Amino acid sequence: KQWYQRRVRGYDMYNMGNLSGLFAFTLGGGWVAVLGYLLLGKIGWRYFIVCTSVPIFLPPIFILHCVLTEESKEDTTELQPEELEDAEVVEVSEFWGRLIKGSVTNLINTLQGWGSILLIPALLTFLNKQQNDLTQDQELLILALLYGGAKLLGRILSIFLLKYVRFRILQPLLSLIIASCYLVLIVKDHSLLCTVIAMGIANMCFCVTRCELTLMEFDKHYFGTERLVLAAGVMSGCAMIGAAVGAIAAQFLSSQHAVIFTFVLSCFQVVAFCCITER
């Protein structure tokens, strides 16, 4: 933690670090899905678990060995009191209103993203029962496209969209697109093509919104500096709740009811984003 803090010299650098972390996380999800498509049917699940688990530990080992070296005394110098006094102080009005709106959008966003991890296989299983006759390799290829391709594209687009498109235009539009995708799943629930396209677009939009909300958690210009840590903690907690609710809904509800449940909450997210006028 101290190593990271000493090297983050500005707000823009912090934002780029967060985006890089999200990009790497999405790349790993796509990597597992691609490995499943290529290897699962050939080597069995036991060796597949080894292939997907071992590479996770190799990059951190090299990073720890090559980057986290002994620090000189100059690098570990703490900030002096006069430097702390010169730190920027940002005050905002209606803190609790900002926090509620940010927490609601964060909860629903993680519900959409983490819920889709279990919802997509459930939808494919439902479509198989409708005589689509998907093979295991075809299902894994679809998962690779949706978990890896669509989300990776969303992370890349977020770098440009968040920079050049205003929040009040981009985020309500993305949330409206996500709600429309779930509406398509309700209306065209027997179409494999519509399911793949709708979930691909929804996952892509989810990733762009996920980047925005991750940056919002520690945005001192939105929450102010006095209660920034409190805001970040509450938003992170709501994100965890959303992930749990999304996974539970996808697991214990039927695929159709889980889609309807997510669609209703996605409509609330559109309203919540429209209410955020301070960003």
Side-chain angles (χ1 to χ4, degrees), residues 127-139:
L127 291 172
N128 257 339
K129 294 179 181 179
Q130 308 302 317
Q131 299 181 349
N132 276 286
D133 297 328
L134 288 172
T135 64
Q136 185 183 57
D137 287 345
Q138 290 173 332
E139 290 184 5

Side-chain angles (χ1 to χ4, degrees), residues 116-147 185 189-197 199 255-256 259:
S116 70
I117 296 175
L118 295 177
L119 180 59
I120 293 174
L123 289 172
L124 294 179
T125 301
F126 171 76
L127 291 172
N128 257 339
K129 294 179 181 179
Q130 308 302 317
Q131 299 181 349
N132 276 286
D133 297 328
L134 288 172
T135 64
Q136 185 183 57
D137 287 345
Q138 290 173 332
E139 290 184 5
L140 290 171
L141 179 59
I142 292 173
L143 294 178
L145 291 174
L146 296 181
Y147 293 150
L185 294 180
D189 59 341
H190 297 288
S191 173
L192 175 63
L193 180 62
C194 289
T195 299
V196 173
I197 293 176
M199 290 307 300
S255 58
Q256 296 91 337
V259 168

Side-chain angles (χ1 to χ4, degrees), residues 48-268:
F48 176 71
I49 293 297
V50 175
C51 291
T52 56
S53 300
V54 173
I56 295 177
F57 299 99
L58 296 181
I61 291 174
F62 285 107
I63 292 173
L64 289 172
H65 177 73
C66 299
V67 178
L68 300 183
T69 57
E70 291 293 330
E71 303 287 346
S72 62
K73 186 175 180 180
E74 293 81 6
D75 291 334
T76 58
T77 303
E78 299 291 336
L79 292 175
Q80 300 300 318
E82 57 271 14
E83 293 178 308
L84 292 174
E85 292 176 359
D86 294 335
E88 182 182 8
V89 176
V90 180
E91 297 181 358
V92 298
S93 59
E94 300 180 356
F95 168 81
W96 293 108
R98 295 172 183 240
L99 180 58
I100 291 173
K101 289 181 285 188
S103 299
V104 169
T105 54
N106 211 23
L107 187 150
I108 298 176
N109 180 256
T110 52
L111 182 147
Q112 294 165 340
W114 289 89
S116 70
I117 296 175
L118 295 177
L119 180 59
I120 293 174
L123 289 172
L124 294 179
T125 301
F126 171 76
L127 291 172
N128 257 339
K129 294 179 181 179
Q130 308 302 317
Q131 299 181 349
N132 276 286
D133 297 328
L134 288 172
T135 64
Q136 185 183 57
D137 287 345
Q138 290 173 332
E139 290 184 5
L140 290 171
L141 179 59
I142 292 173
L143 294 178
L145 291 174
L146 296 181
Y147 293 150
K151 289 188 175 183
L152 192 61
L153 180 59
R155 300 296 190 198
I156 296 173
L157 288 176
S158 67
I159 298 175
F160 304 97
L161 293 177
L162 298 184
K163 183 176 181 181
Y164 296 108
V165 183
R166 293 177 54 193
F167 177 92
R168 294 199 64 193
I169 296 175
L170 178 63
Q171 298 307 325
L173 179 60
L174 291 175
S175 57
L176 183 61
I177 293 174
I178 294 174
S180 300
C181 290
Y182 282 98
L183 181 60
V184 169
L185 294 180
I186 296 173
V187 177
K188 298 287 186 179
D189 59 341
H190 297 288
S191 173
L192 175 63
L193 180 62
C194 289
T195 299
V196 173
I197 293 176
M199 290 307 300
I201 295 174
N203 276 340
M204 184 178 64
C205 295
F206 154 77
C207 286
V208 179
T209 301
R210 181 75 250 142
C211 291
E212 176 66 52
L213 292 174
T214 301
L215 299 178
M216 181 190 288
E217 288 183 12
F218 291 94
D219 188 356
K220 61 183 179 181
H221 300 292
Y222 182 75
F223 288 117
T225 54
E226 182 180 357
R227 288 179 283 191
L228 180 60
V229 175
L230 171 63
V234 172
M235 283 195 66
S236 298
C238 288
M240 295 177 186
I241 294 173
V245 172
I248 291 172
Q251 181 66 32
F252 293 102
L253 298 179
S254 66
S255 58
Q256 296 91 337
H257 287 95
V259 168
I260 294 173
F261 175 71
T262 309
F263 167 71
V264 172
L265 291 181
S266 298
C267 293
F268 280 109

